[in-house]
Amino acid sequence: MNKDTWQRLPKNEAHKLVLEHVQTVERLQFEDYDRFKKLAALYDPNGNSGSEESTGFITENVVASNVDTVQAAIATAEIRARFMTDGGDWGQQRTARHLEWYAEGLTKLHDVDAKCSVAFGKGPGVRGTGIIYVDLNAAKDDIVVEHVLADDMIADNRELRGGGRLRQIHRRCIVDRDDLIAQYPKHASEIENAYSTRSSLWAGYRPIGENQIVVLYSWHLGVKRKCVTIDGCTLLDEKYEDEGFPFARMVWSERDESWFGISLAERIMGHQRVLNKSNWQIDRLVERNAVPT
């Protein structure tokens, strides 16, 4: 058996290769994460991803105006689960109706509509890919619904070449050590001794606090495996029976052989550049009391 990949390692040993794999994909796809940073700066020049150049030249933000408009339109739509009963009898149709009521209640309980609206704006609107994580929290016996930035996802685009299918995906989270120890008390010493500096400059702009640690959540569909790892330790290693990943994905426009899509901001960034230059020229004319001829 090939044991040169993390998913083929024995149980509770995935940490020996999963961090290396994630760092390799991250390095090969640096353009993706760098693009997320630049597009986020176009939308919010004064945010953590902003630069002096973007802050100084954007006086009329076309990107933000368009993204906010589209997000506002999407926010009016409600998300509903439908249970199809074509050819079913009366009892099945009644059961389906009750299941729809139950699903609608869960949607409101977990504020799914609002989270999807935010995910659409920050995802397809700005970064190209909006992601909602939906899974079961076994510890609390509850459903987890979270918006995840594309910056936090590691998907190997090499698997998609030639019409291939994505077989594995990873989510990176920055978690407080104390919270992680409370969740995995049996691994308290490993969590305390875990080394996070190697990942502290992930994507170049995601600093890690003194008491924080990088946690990787990994899924593989081929060997049906789910792992939670940190540097030097596997916190969770269990069977994963689902046919797909626990993520709902939204894209503005698909990008060839890439899991990450093309965003609205990316489509109109050329118009933003032209407007920035035009406004800069007008400002210079006004400052010099010039008359254009």
Side-chain angles (χ1 to χ4, degrees), residues 111-136:
D111 205 14
V112 174
D113 288 337
K115 292 176 182 177
C116 288
S117 175
V118 173
F120 190 91
K122 296 183 180 296
V126 177
R127 292 169 173 82
T129 307
I131 305 156
I132 293 290
Y133 171 66
V134 183
D135 205 352
L136 292 175

mmCIF file of all heavy atoms in Angstrom, residues 111-136:
data_model
loop_
_atom_site.group_PDB
_atom_site.id
_atom_site.type_symbol
_atom_site.label_atom_id
_atom_site.label_comp_id
_atom_site.label_asym_id
_atom_site.label_seq_id
_atom_site.Cartn_x
_atom_site.Cartn_y
_atom_site.Cartn_z
ATOM 1 N N ASP A 111 -30.045 30.733 11.310
ATOM 2 C CA ASP A 111 -29.854 31.983 10.563
ATOM 3 C C ASP A 111 -29.162 31.738 9.215
ATOM 4 O O ASP A 111 -28.222 32.445 8.830
ATOM 5 C CB ASP A 111 -29.038 32.964 11.404
ATOM 6 C CG ASP A 111 -29.294 34.413 11.027
ATOM 7 O OD1 ASP A 111 -30.282 34.661 10.312
ATOM 8 O OD2 ASP A 111 -28.517 35.289 11.437
ATOM 9 N N VAL A 112 -29.627 30.737 8.502
ATOM 10 C CA VAL A 112 -28.977 30.307 7.268
ATOM 11 C C VAL A 112 -29.074 31.369 6.173
ATOM 12 O O VAL A 112 -28.103 31.613 5.444
ATOM 13 C CB VAL A 112 -29.579 28.978 6.781
ATOM 14 C CG1 VAL A 112 -29.014 28.591 5.412
ATOM 15 C CG2 VAL A 112 -29.302 27.873 7.788
ATOM 16 N N ASP A 113 -30.220 32.031 6.048
ATOM 17 C CA ASP A 113 -30.394 33.032 4.988
ATOM 18 C C ASP A 113 -29.372 34.159 5.118
ATOM 19 O O ASP A 113 -28.752 34.569 4.122
ATOM 20 C CB ASP A 113 -31.814 33.600 5.030
ATOM 21 C CG ASP A 113 -32.855 32.594 4.555
ATOM 22 O OD1 ASP A 113 -32.478 31.671 3.815
ATOM 23 O OD2 ASP A 113 -34.030 32.721 4.936
ATOM 24 N N ALA A 114 -29.190 34.674 6.333
ATOM 25 C CA ALA A 114 -28.236 35.769 6.545
ATOM 26 C C ALA A 114 -26.808 35.309 6.264
ATOM 27 O O ALA A 114 -26.014 36.042 5.649
ATOM 28 C CB ALA A 114 -28.356 36.298 7.971
ATOM 29 N N LYS A 115 -26.466 34.110 6.704
ATOM 30 C CA LYS A 115 -25.110 33.596 6.478
ATOM 31 C C LYS A 115 -24.840 33.374 4.999
ATOM 32 O O LYS A 115 -23.741 33.652 4.510
ATOM 33 C CB LYS A 115 -24.908 32.302 7.260
ATOM 34 C CG LYS A 115 -24.901 32.503 8.774
ATOM 35 C CD LYS A 115 -24.803 31.193 9.518
ATOM 36 C CE LYS A 115 -24.839 31.427 11.031
ATOM 37 N NZ LYS A 115 -24.814 30.145 11.789
ATOM 38 N N CYS A 116 -25.842 32.906 4.268
ATOM 39 C CA CYS A 116 -25.672 32.703 2.825
ATOM 40 C C CYS A 116 -25.530 34.037 2.092
ATOM 41 O O CYS A 116 -24.787 34.141 1.109
ATOM 42 C CB CYS A 116 -26.844 31.910 2.264
ATOM 43 S SG CYS A 116 -26.837 30.165 2.738
ATOM 44 N N SER A 117 -26.248 35.052 2.566
ATOM 45 C CA SER A 117 -26.135 36.378 1.953
ATOM 46 C C SER A 117 -24.721 36.939 2.126
ATOM 47 O O SER A 117 -24.124 37.464 1.184
ATOM 48 C CB SER A 117 -27.165 37.329 2.574
ATOM 49 O OG SER A 117 -27.007 38.641 2.078
ATOM 50 N N VAL A 118 -24.177 36.806 3.331
ATOM 51 C CA VAL A 118 -22.805 37.269 3.591
ATOM 52 C C VAL A 118 -21.819 36.453 2.768
ATOM 53 O O VAL A 118 -20.870 36.995 2.176
ATOM 54 C CB VAL A 118 -22.481 37.165 5.086
ATOM 55 C CG1 VAL A 118 -21.003 37.469 5.336
ATOM 56 C CG2 VAL A 118 -23.351 38.126 5.890
ATOM 57 N N ALA A 119 -22.040 35.133 2.718
ATOM 58 C CA ALA A 119 -21.144 34.267 1.953
ATOM 59 C C ALA A 119 -21.158 34.625 0.477
ATOM 60 O O ALA A 119 -20.122 34.563 -0.195
ATOM 61 C CB ALA A 119 -21.542 32.802 2.150
ATOM 62 N N PHE A 120 -22.318 35.015 -0.044
ATOM 63 C CA PHE A 120 -22.403 35.390 -1.452
ATOM 64 C C PHE A 120 -21.642 36.689 -1.711
ATOM 65 O O PHE A 120 -20.938 36.818 -2.713
ATOM 66 C CB PHE A 120 -23.854 35.543 -1.875
ATOM 67 C CG PHE A 120 -24.025 35.692 -3.366
ATOM 68 C CD1 PHE A 120 -24.219 34.586 -4.165
ATOM 69 C CD2 PHE A 120 -23.985 36.941 -3.962
ATOM 70 C CE1 PHE A 120 -24.354 34.717 -5.536
ATOM 71 C CE2 PHE A 120 -24.124 37.087 -5.331
ATOM 72 C CZ PHE A 120 -24.315 35.976 -6.122
ATOM 73 N N GLY A 121 -21.782 37.667 -0.807
ATOM 74 C CA GLY A 121 -21.092 38.933 -1.004
ATOM 75 C C GLY A 121 -19.584 38.798 -0.915
ATOM 76 O O GLY A 121 -18.838 39.283 -1.773
ATOM 77 N N LYS A 122 -19.089 38.139 0.133
ATOM 78 C CA LYS A 122 -17.653 37.973 0.317
ATOM 79 C C LYS A 122 -17.082 36.885 -0.586
ATOM 80 O O LYS A 122 -15.862 36.822 -0.796
ATOM 81 C CB LYS A 122 -17.349 37.630 1.782
ATOM 82 C CG LYS A 122 -17.710 38.748 2.763
ATOM 83 C CD LYS A 122 -17.327 38.376 4.181
ATOM 84 C CE LYS A 122 -17.685 39.483 5.163
ATOM 85 N NZ LYS A 122 -16.946 40.712 4.907
ATOM 86 N N GLY A 123 -17.953 36.000 -1.079
ATOM 87 C CA GLY A 123 -17.495 34.913 -1.926
ATOM 88 C C GLY A 123 -17.571 35.242 -3.401
ATOM 89 O O GLY A 123 -16.643 35.842 -3.955
ATOM 90 N N PRO A 124 -18.664 34.894 -4.104
ATOM 91 C CA PRO A 124 -18.766 35.194 -5.528
ATOM 92 C C PRO A 124 -18.597 36.677 -5.844
ATOM 93 O O PRO A 124 -18.084 37.027 -6.900
ATOM 94 C CB PRO A 124 -20.183 34.715 -5.879
ATOM 95 C CG PRO A 124 -20.484 33.662 -4.871
ATOM 96 C CD PRO A 124 -19.810 34.107 -3.610
ATOM 97 N N GLY A 125 -19.034 37.545 -4.922
ATOM 98 C CA GLY A 125 -18.911 38.975 -5.177
ATOM 99 C C GLY A 125 -17.479 39.457 -5.170
ATOM 100 O O GLY A 125 -17.063 40.214 -6.043
ATOM 101 N N VAL A 126 -16.694 39.028 -4.179
ATOM 102 C CA VAL A 126 -15.330 39.538 -4.009
ATOM 103 C C VAL A 126 -14.284 38.501 -4.406
ATOM 104 O O VAL A 126 -13.429 38.762 -5.243
ATOM 105 C CB VAL A 126 -15.104 39.986 -2.549
ATOM 106 C CG1 VAL A 126 -13.662 40.458 -2.359
ATOM 107 C CG2 VAL A 126 -16.071 41.090 -2.179
ATOM 108 N N ARG A 127 -14.334 37.310 -3.813
ATOM 109 C CA ARG A 127 -13.275 36.317 -4.008
ATOM 110 C C ARG A 127 -13.592 35.292 -5.091
ATOM 111 O O ARG A 127 -12.719 34.538 -5.492
ATOM 112 C CB ARG A 127 -12.997 35.599 -2.684
ATOM 113 C CG ARG A 127 -12.356 36.511 -1.641
ATOM 114 C CD ARG A 127 -12.356 35.844 -0.278
ATOM 115 N NE ARG A 127 -11.611 36.607 0.702
ATOM 116 C CZ ARG A 127 -12.095 37.660 1.374
ATOM 117 N NH1 ARG A 127 -13.359 38.050 1.139
ATOM 118 N NH2 ARG A 127 -11.350 38.306 2.236
ATOM 119 N N GLY A 128 -14.824 35.229 -5.529
ATOM 120 C CA GLY A 128 -15.182 34.296 -6.596
ATOM 121 C C GLY A 128 -15.853 33.034 -6.111
ATOM 122 O O GLY A 128 -16.567 32.383 -6.861
ATOM 123 N N THR A 129 -15.624 32.657 -4.841
ATOM 124 C CA THR A 129 -16.178 31.419 -4.306
ATOM 125 C C THR A 129 -16.725 31.668 -2.909
ATOM 126 O O THR A 129 -15.988 32.090 -2.018
ATOM 127 C CB THR A 129 -15.107 30.303 -4.234
ATOM 128 O OG1 THR A 129 -14.486 30.173 -5.520
ATOM 129 C CG2 THR A 129 -15.733 28.982 -3.830
ATOM 130 N N GLY A 130 -18.024 31.421 -2.732
ATOM 131 C CA GLY A 130 -18.646 31.525 -1.421
ATOM 132 C C GLY A 130 -18.863 30.139 -0.843
ATOM 133 O O GLY A 130 -19.257 29.216 -1.566
ATOM 134 N N ILE A 131 -18.609 29.976 0.449
ATOM 135 C CA ILE A 131 -18.629 28.648 1.053
ATOM 136 C C ILE A 131 -19.409 28.677 2.364
ATOM 137 O O ILE A 131 -19.185 29.547 3.206
ATOM 138 C CB ILE A 131 -17.199 28.144 1.330
ATOM 139 C CG1 ILE A 131 -16.368 28.179 0.040
ATOM 140 C CG2 ILE A 131 -17.210 26.749 1.920
ATOM 141 C CD1 ILE A 131 -14.900 28.258 0.266
ATOM 142 N N ILE A 132 -20.318 27.723 2.519
ATOM 143 C CA ILE A 132 -21.035 27.505 3.773
ATOM 144 C C ILE A 132 -20.715 26.092 4.257
ATOM 145 O O ILE A 132 -20.913 25.116 3.525
ATOM 146 C CB ILE A 132 -22.554 27.670 3.598
ATOM 147 C CG1 ILE A 132 -22.912 29.121 3.277
ATOM 148 C CG2 ILE A 132 -23.281 27.226 4.860
ATOM 149 C CD1 ILE A 132 -22.720 30.091 4.426
ATOM 150 N N TYR A 133 -20.222 26.011 5.471
ATOM 151 C CA TYR A 133 -19.889 24.718 6.071
ATOM 152 C C TYR A 133 -21.093 24.224 6.867
ATOM 153 O O TYR A 133 -21.603 24.921 7.741
ATOM 154 C CB TYR A 133 -18.677 24.876 6.984
ATOM 155 C CG TYR A 133 -18.361 23.668 7.841
ATOM 156 C CD1 TYR A 133 -17.951 22.474 7.267
ATOM 157 C CD2 TYR A 133 -18.453 23.737 9.226
ATOM 158 C CE1 TYR A 133 -17.644 21.370 8.043
ATOM 159 C CE2 TYR A 133 -18.147 22.646 10.019
ATOM 160 C CZ TYR A 133 -17.745 21.466 9.427
ATOM 161 O OH TYR A 133 -17.441 20.378 10.202
ATOM 162 N N VAL A 134 -21.552 23.024 6.547
ATOM 163 C CA VAL A 134 -22.707 22.424 7.220
ATOM 164 C C VAL A 134 -22.323 21.026 7.688
ATOM 165 O O VAL A 134 -21.946 20.177 6.882
ATOM 166 C CB VAL A 134 -23.933 22.346 6.290
ATOM 167 C CG1 VAL A 134 -25.129 21.779 7.044
ATOM 168 C CG2 VAL A 134 -24.266 23.712 5.715
ATOM 169 N N ASP A 135 -22.406 20.806 8.986
ATOM 170 C CA ASP A 135 -22.028 19.501 9.524
ATOM 171 C C ASP A 135 -22.692 19.300 10.878
ATOM 172 O O ASP A 135 -23.331 20.212 11.415
ATOM 173 C CB ASP A 135 -20.508 19.414 9.669
ATOM 174 C CG ASP A 135 -20.004 17.974 9.618
ATOM 175 O OD1 ASP A 135 -20.851 17.059 9.616
ATOM 176 O OD2 ASP A 135 -18.777 17.774 9.576
ATOM 177 N N LEU A 136 -22.510 18.111 11.446
ATOM 178 C CA LEU A 136 -23.029 17.791 12.764
ATOM 179 C C LEU A 136 -21.936 17.989 13.806
ATOM 180 O O LEU A 136 -20.795 17.550 13.606
ATOM 181 C CB LEU A 136 -23.535 16.348 12.812
ATOM 182 C CG LEU A 136 -24.774 16.029 11.984
ATOM 183 C CD1 LEU A 136 -25.065 14.536 12.037
ATOM 184 C CD2 LEU A 136 -25.978 16.805 12.491
#
